[in-house]
Amino acid sequence: MTQKLFASYDLKGLHINNRIVMAPMCQYSVTAKDGKPNEWHYVHYLSRAIGGTGLIIMEMTDVDPDGRITDLDLGIWSDEHIPAFAKIIDGVHAHNGKIGIQIAHAGRKAEDAAVPIAPSAIKFPGSAYKMPRALTTEEVQDVVQKFGHAARRAVQAGVDTIELHGAHGYLIHQFQSPLTNKRDDIYGQDLARFGVEVIQAVKKEMPSDMPLIFRISAVEYADGGYDIDHAIELSKAYQAAGVDAFHVSSGGEGPAGERKPGNYPGYQVPFARKIREALSVPVIAVGMLEDPALAESVIGSEDADFVAIARGMLRDPYWATHAAITLRSEPNNIPKQYVRAY
């Protein structure tokens, strides 16, 4: 029986061999603190391509040095970063994989910035974080342009897709949340506006057939945080601005209040399904989906179009190959050098 998890999919102009996505996960491994990926990142991503992952999304890569969570994070604020990313991308392509990059700015969650920036001067809870400075209207527009420049560099490096990080309490999320956006200018009057302008700036730099993915937190867990209805309205505005698929996660804006995240396998899948149904848009589900039978069920039940594997793929670079064997699918992605092991 052909497994749904291993069916190919055309996301706009991008042909993906299966429905398995490597979720972006920070490695905190840029030891030179210059934002450039190094040998660790090269081996890390290529091994997942060799392991049969359909689409790899490189970890959060920041548009400004002070937009990094820590100084050990990747960056793409300079043309000098392009060659190191191109080396990884070319390597993944050589092993029949597809690869994108997650572009972001940490905003008030930038731990190593001397003075973090944010929509409003509201500190993220915890001793690791500093009081941020609220951006002026003109500065917000400058940040939008930095996202556009980052997208141009990613395209020059050869990516197959770009993902914007609008989840987990980082800068785009901070603008779209009533908990963290208390502005009285145009970016406070319309909570989707910053995200929309970033999408538009990025789309201008992308080939017309390249898909743009947006990662969104579907619900917030802090008391007074937004729920799925707000996320759906945001997603409609983002879709109209040019988003082609949504990567649906949750939380990250602060400590959980009365509402707690599920933290059980598949707990975020219903959020992905709701956005998929409301917008008739492809979605990526994520969150403890590393059991192959569960991942197959998510695709087979049409809850989502892709499953993103995070910690499960940190544990096993060959997760996709092993999932195919578990599901009794015929793995067609085993490198010839390894066939005798199977």
Side-chain angles (χ1 to χ4, degrees):
M1 182 176 66
T2 302
Q3 302 296 331
K4 301 288 188 181
L5 188 62
F6 290 91
S8 63
Y9 192 98
D10 291 325
L11 182 59
K12 208 170 185 181
L14 177 60
H15 182 76
I16 303 171
N17 290 330
N18 56 51
R19 310 299 185 89
I20 300 166
V21 175
M22 179 182 182
M25 293 169 283
C26 289
Q27 297 296 291
Y28 304 109
S29 295
V30 185
T31 50
K33 300 184 178 181
D34 58 2
K36 297 177 183 177
N38 54 35
E39 193 70 14
W40 173 265
H41 302 91
Y42 181 80
V43 173
H44 176 63
Y45 291 116
L46 260 68
S47 62
R48 275 68 187 177
I50 293 169
T53 306
L55 174 63
I56 294 165
I57 302 179
M58 281 187 280
E59 66 205 79
M60 179 170 165
T61 302
D62 299 291
V63 303
D64 185 270
D66 284 342
R68 293 173 289 179
I69 303 170
T70 77
D71 289 346
L72 297 173
D73 291 351
L74 292 179
I76 195 163
W77 62 79
S78 166
D79 287 359
E80 293 181 0
H81 293 114
I82 295 172
F85 282 104
K87 178 183 175 183
I88 293 172
I89 293 162
D90 290 346
V92 168
H93 288 162
H95 293 288
N96 203 32
K98 299 295 169 61
I99 184 166
I101 188 170
Q102 186 188 70
I103 295 176
H105 191 298
R108 69 175 187 159
K109 294 181 81 173
E111 298 174 27
D112 288 341
V115 181
I117 60 171
S120 304
I122 303 171
K123 180 180 175 293
F124 191 87
S127 59
Y129 303 98
K130 305 179 181 76
M131 174 62 73
R133 174 180 66 82
L135 292 160
T136 67
T137 302
E138 291 74 20
E139 288 174 329
V140 174
Q141 293 162 355
D142 288 341
V143 174
V144 169
Q145 292 309 309
K146 288 181 179 180
F147 274 90
H149 297 324
R152 172 184 57 79
R153 297 181 187 110
V155 171
Q156 285 182 244
V159 295
D160 298 300
T161 183
I162 291 173
E163 177 174 284
L164 290 172
H165 201 346
H168 302 166
Y170 300 117
L171 189 63
I172 297 176
H173 185 167
Q174 291 162 32
F175 271 93
Q176 71 194 21
S177 172
L179 289 176
T180 46
N181 186 345
K182 305 294 185 182
R183 302 176 67 90
D184 56 12
D185 67 354
I186 54 176
Y187 295 102
Q189 294 158 10
D190 177 2
L191 297 183
R193 180 161 185 145
F194 178 72
V196 164
E197 290 190 3
V198 167
I199 290 161
Q200 291 170 338
V202 166
K203 290 289 283 191
K204 287 179 182 177
E205 304 294 342
M206 296 171 62
S208 60
D209 62 344
M210 180 183 289
L212 176 63
I213 303 169
F214 190 98
R215 196 173 211 193
I216 190 165
S217 281
V219 301
E220 295 183 315
Y221 297 111
D223 290 335
Y226 69 72
D227 209 333
I228 185 67
D229 292 342
H230 181 66
I232 287 172
E233 291 308 307
L234 290 169
S235 298
K236 288 178 179 177
Y238 296 157
Q239 183 185 34
V243 170
D244 299 295
F246 288 90
H247 191 169
V248 185
S249 188
S250 65
E253 79 293 343
E258 184 176 345
R259 179 176 188 167
K260 301 291 192 296
N263 287 333
Y264 52 81
Y267 74 100
Q268 294 179 143
V269 171
F271 304 143
R273 185 181 186 103
K274 286 184 178 180
I275 289 177
R276 186 179 192 266
E277 290 176 342
L279 278 70
S280 298
V281 66
V283 300
I284 304 168
V286 67
M288 303 175 71
L289 300 177
E290 59 260 36
D291 182 298
L294 175 58
E296 170 69 17
S297 174
V298 170
I299 304 301
S301 300
E302 299 186 351
D303 292 319
D305 302 278
F306 297 91
V307 292
I309 308 299
R311 291 173 178 85
M313 206 168 282
L314 289 183
R315 289 191 293 270
D316 182 4
Y318 299 89
W319 186 92
T321 296
H322 297 152
I325 293 168
T326 298
L327 295 171
R328 296 187 175 89
S329 181
E330 185 66 33
N332 57 8
N333 53 8
I334 299 173
K336 63 181 181 180
Q337 298 90 335
Y338 293 170
V339 167
R340 63 184 139 170
Y342 295 91

